[in-house]
Short mmCIF file of all heavy atoms in Angstrom, two decimals:
data_model
loop_
_atom_site.label_atom_id
_atom_site.label_comp_id
_atom_site.label_asym_id
_atom_site.label_seq_id
_atom_site.Cartn_x
_atom_site.Cartn_y
_atom_site.Cartn_z
N GLN A 474 133.37 151.65 71.89
CA GLN A 474 133.82 150.26 71.90
C GLN A 474 132.69 149.33 72.35
O GLN A 474 132.54 148.22 71.82
CB GLN A 474 135.05 150.11 72.79
CG GLN A 474 136.28 150.79 72.21
CD GLN A 474 137.46 150.80 73.17
OE1 GLN A 474 137.30 150.78 74.40
NE2 GLN A 474 138.67 150.84 72.62
N TYR A 475 131.91 149.77 73.30
CA TYR A 475 130.74 149.00 73.75
C TYR A 475 129.76 148.81 72.59
O TYR A 475 129.26 147.71 72.34
CB TYR A 475 130.07 149.73 74.91
CG TYR A 475 128.68 149.25 75.25
CD1 TYR A 475 128.47 148.07 75.96
CD2 TYR A 475 127.56 150.00 74.86
CE1 TYR A 475 127.19 147.64 76.27
CE2 TYR A 475 126.28 149.57 75.17
CZ TYR A 475 126.10 148.39 75.88
OH TYR A 475 124.83 147.97 76.17
N ALA A 476 129.49 149.89 71.86
CA ALA A 476 128.57 149.80 70.72
C ALA A 476 129.10 148.84 69.67
O ALA A 476 128.36 148.02 69.11
CB ALA A 476 128.35 151.19 70.12
N TYR A 477 130.41 148.91 69.40
CA TYR A 477 130.99 148.01 68.41
C TYR A 477 130.85 146.56 68.84
O TYR A 477 130.62 145.67 68.02
CB TYR A 477 132.46 148.36 68.19
CG TYR A 477 133.09 147.57 67.07
CD1 TYR A 477 132.86 147.90 65.74
CD2 TYR A 477 133.90 146.46 67.34
CE1 TYR A 477 133.42 147.16 64.71
CE2 TYR A 477 134.46 145.70 66.32
CZ TYR A 477 134.21 146.05 65.01
OH TYR A 477 134.76 145.30 63.99
N GLY A 478 130.97 146.30 70.13
CA GLY A 478 130.77 144.96 70.64
C GLY A 478 129.37 144.44 70.42
O GLY A 478 129.14 143.22 70.39
N LEU A 479 128.40 145.33 70.27
CA LEU A 479 127.02 144.95 69.97
C LEU A 479 126.76 144.86 68.47
O LEU A 479 125.63 144.61 68.05
CB LEU A 479 126.04 145.98 70.57
CG LEU A 479 126.03 146.10 72.09
CD1 LEU A 479 125.04 147.20 72.52
CD2 LEU A 479 125.68 144.78 72.77
N GLY A 480 127.80 145.07 67.67
CA GLY A 480 127.63 145.03 66.22
C GLY A 480 127.22 146.35 65.62
O GLY A 480 126.67 146.39 64.51
N ILE A 481 127.47 147.45 66.32
CA ILE A 481 127.07 148.78 65.87
C ILE A 481 128.31 149.62 65.64
O ILE A 481 129.15 149.77 66.53
CB ILE A 481 126.18 149.47 66.93
CG1 ILE A 481 124.93 148.63 67.21
CG2 ILE A 481 125.80 150.89 66.49
CD1 ILE A 481 124.23 149.00 68.50
N ARG A 482 128.45 150.17 64.46
CA ARG A 482 129.59 151.03 64.16
C ARG A 482 129.23 152.50 64.42
O ARG A 482 128.13 152.93 64.08
CB ARG A 482 130.05 150.82 62.72
CG ARG A 482 130.88 149.56 62.57
CD ARG A 482 130.94 149.06 61.16
NE ARG A 482 129.72 148.34 60.81
CZ ARG A 482 129.56 147.63 59.70
NH1 ARG A 482 130.55 147.57 58.84
NH2 ARG A 482 128.44 147.01 59.46
N THR A 483 130.15 153.22 65.01
CA THR A 483 129.93 154.62 65.36
C THR A 483 130.82 155.50 64.49
O THR A 483 132.05 155.36 64.50
CB THR A 483 130.25 154.88 66.85
OG1 THR A 483 129.43 154.02 67.66
CG2 THR A 483 129.98 156.33 67.21
N LEU A 484 130.21 156.41 63.75
CA LEU A 484 130.91 157.36 62.90
C LEU A 484 130.65 158.75 63.47
O LEU A 484 129.51 159.11 63.71
CB LEU A 484 130.41 157.27 61.46
CG LEU A 484 130.31 155.84 60.88
CD1 LEU A 484 129.73 155.88 59.47
CD2 LEU A 484 131.66 155.16 60.89
N VAL A 485 131.72 159.51 63.71
CA VAL A 485 131.58 160.77 64.42
C VAL A 485 131.96 161.94 63.52
O VAL A 485 133.06 161.97 62.96
CB VAL A 485 132.45 160.80 65.69
CG1 VAL A 485 132.24 162.11 66.45
CG2 VAL A 485 132.12 159.62 66.59
N VAL A 486 131.08 162.89 63.39
CA VAL A 486 131.32 164.11 62.62
C VAL A 486 131.55 165.25 63.61
O VAL A 486 130.69 165.54 64.44
CB VAL A 486 130.12 164.45 61.72
CG1 VAL A 486 130.38 165.73 60.95
CG2 VAL A 486 129.81 163.29 60.79
N GLY A 487 132.70 165.90 63.51
CA GLY A 487 132.97 167.06 64.34
C GLY A 487 132.80 168.34 63.55
O GLY A 487 133.49 168.56 62.55
N VAL A 488 131.87 169.21 63.93
CA VAL A 488 131.65 170.47 63.24
C VAL A 488 132.17 171.61 64.11
O VAL A 488 132.24 171.51 65.33
CB VAL A 488 130.16 170.69 62.91
CG1 VAL A 488 129.68 169.61 61.96
CG2 VAL A 488 129.32 170.71 64.17
N GLY A 489 132.54 172.71 63.48
CA GLY A 489 133.01 173.86 64.22
C GLY A 489 134.52 173.98 64.20
O GLY A 489 135.16 173.73 63.19
N ASP A 490 135.10 174.32 65.34
CA ASP A 490 136.53 174.63 65.38
C ASP A 490 137.37 173.47 65.91
O ASP A 490 138.36 173.67 66.60
CB ASP A 490 136.79 175.89 66.20
CG ASP A 490 136.35 175.73 67.65
OD1 ASP A 490 135.74 174.70 67.98
OD2 ASP A 490 136.62 176.65 68.45
N PHE A 491 137.01 172.25 65.60
CA PHE A 491 137.80 171.12 66.04
C PHE A 491 139.25 171.22 65.60
O PHE A 491 140.15 170.71 66.27
CB PHE A 491 137.21 169.81 65.49
CG PHE A 491 136.38 169.05 66.49
CD1 PHE A 491 135.01 168.98 66.37
CD2 PHE A 491 136.99 168.40 67.55
CE1 PHE A 491 134.25 168.28 67.28
CE2 PHE A 491 136.24 167.69 68.47
CZ PHE A 491 134.87 167.63 68.34
N ALA A 492 139.50 171.85 64.49
CA ALA A 492 140.88 171.97 64.01
C ALA A 492 141.75 172.71 65.00
O ALA A 492 142.96 172.45 65.10
CB ALA A 492 140.90 172.70 62.66
N ASP A 493 141.18 173.63 65.78
CA ASP A 493 141.95 174.42 66.73
C ASP A 493 141.66 174.05 68.18
O ASP A 493 142.19 174.66 69.10
CB ASP A 493 141.64 175.92 66.54
CG ASP A 493 141.96 176.38 65.13
OD1 ASP A 493 143.00 175.98 64.60
OD2 ASP A 493 141.15 177.13 64.56
N ALA A 494 140.79 173.05 68.39
CA ALA A 494 140.34 172.75 69.74
C ALA A 494 141.48 172.31 70.65
O ALA A 494 141.45 172.53 71.86
CB ALA A 494 139.27 171.66 69.70
N VAL A 495 142.51 171.68 70.08
CA VAL A 495 143.60 171.18 70.91
C VAL A 495 144.33 172.30 71.65
O VAL A 495 144.90 172.08 72.72
CB VAL A 495 144.58 170.35 70.04
CG1 VAL A 495 145.34 171.25 69.09
CG2 VAL A 495 145.54 169.55 70.91
N THR A 496 144.30 173.50 71.11
CA THR A 496 145.00 174.62 71.75
C THR A 496 144.33 175.04 73.05
O THR A 496 144.97 175.65 73.91
CB THR A 496 145.08 175.82 70.80
OG1 THR A 496 143.75 176.26 70.48
CG2 THR A 496 145.80 175.46 69.51
N ALA A 497 143.06 174.71 73.21
CA ALA A 497 142.33 175.10 74.41
C ALA A 497 142.16 173.92 75.37
O ALA A 497 141.39 173.99 76.32
CB ALA A 497 140.96 175.65 74.03
N CYS A 498 142.91 172.85 75.13
CA CYS A 498 142.74 171.62 75.87
C CYS A 498 143.94 171.39 76.79
O CYS A 498 145.07 171.77 76.47
CB CYS A 498 142.62 170.47 74.88
SG CYS A 498 142.14 168.91 75.62
N ASP A 499 143.70 170.75 77.93
CA ASP A 499 144.77 170.38 78.84
C ASP A 499 145.78 169.50 78.11
O ASP A 499 145.41 168.63 77.32
CB ASP A 499 144.19 169.64 80.04
CG ASP A 499 145.22 169.38 81.12
OD1 ASP A 499 146.04 168.48 80.93
OD2 ASP A 499 145.19 170.09 82.15
N SER A 500 147.05 169.70 78.38
CA SER A 500 148.09 168.97 77.66
C SER A 500 148.05 167.47 77.93
O SER A 500 148.65 166.70 77.18
CB SER A 500 149.47 169.52 78.05
OG SER A 500 149.69 169.38 79.44
N TYR A 501 147.35 167.04 78.97
CA TYR A 501 147.27 165.63 79.29
C TYR A 501 146.05 164.95 78.66
O TYR A 501 145.81 163.76 78.88
CB TYR A 501 147.19 165.43 80.81
CG TYR A 501 148.39 165.94 81.55
CD1 TYR A 501 148.25 166.59 82.77
CD2 TYR A 501 149.68 165.81 81.03
CE1 TYR A 501 149.36 167.08 83.47
CE2 TYR A 501 150.79 166.29 81.71
CZ TYR A 501 150.62 166.92 82.93
OH TYR A 501 151.72 167.39 83.61
N THR A 502 145.29 165.70 77.88
CA THR A 502 144.06 165.18 77.30
C THR A 502 144.14 165.23 75.78
O THR A 502 144.54 166.23 75.20
CB THR A 502 142.84 166.01 77.77
OG1 THR A 502 142.84 166.05 79.20
CG2 THR A 502 141.55 165.40 77.28
N ARG A 503 143.75 164.15 75.12
CA ARG A 503 143.72 164.11 73.66
C ARG A 503 142.42 164.77 73.19
O ARG A 503 141.34 164.16 73.24
CB ARG A 503 143.81 162.68 73.15
CG ARG A 503 145.23 162.12 73.25
CD ARG A 503 145.28 160.65 72.89
NE ARG A 503 144.84 160.36 71.54
CZ ARG A 503 145.59 160.48 70.44
NH1 ARG A 503 146.85 160.94 70.55
NH2 ARG A 503 145.12 160.17 69.26
N CYS A 504 142.53 166.01 72.75
CA CYS A 504 141.37 166.78 72.32
C CYS A 504 141.40 167.02 70.82
O CYS A 504 142.38 166.70 70.14
CB CYS A 504 141.32 168.12 73.05
SG CYS A 504 140.98 167.98 74.81
N GLY A 505 140.35 167.65 70.33
CA GLY A 505 140.30 168.04 68.93
C GLY A 505 140.53 166.87 68.00
O GLY A 505 139.91 165.81 68.13
#
């Protein structure tokens, strides 16, 4: 959000097992 405020767009590529990452994450955290 800070970068966007400077006029910079951030595009994020997740490689690996992001599809299953939520299973290894604390239930209170938005993962994967």
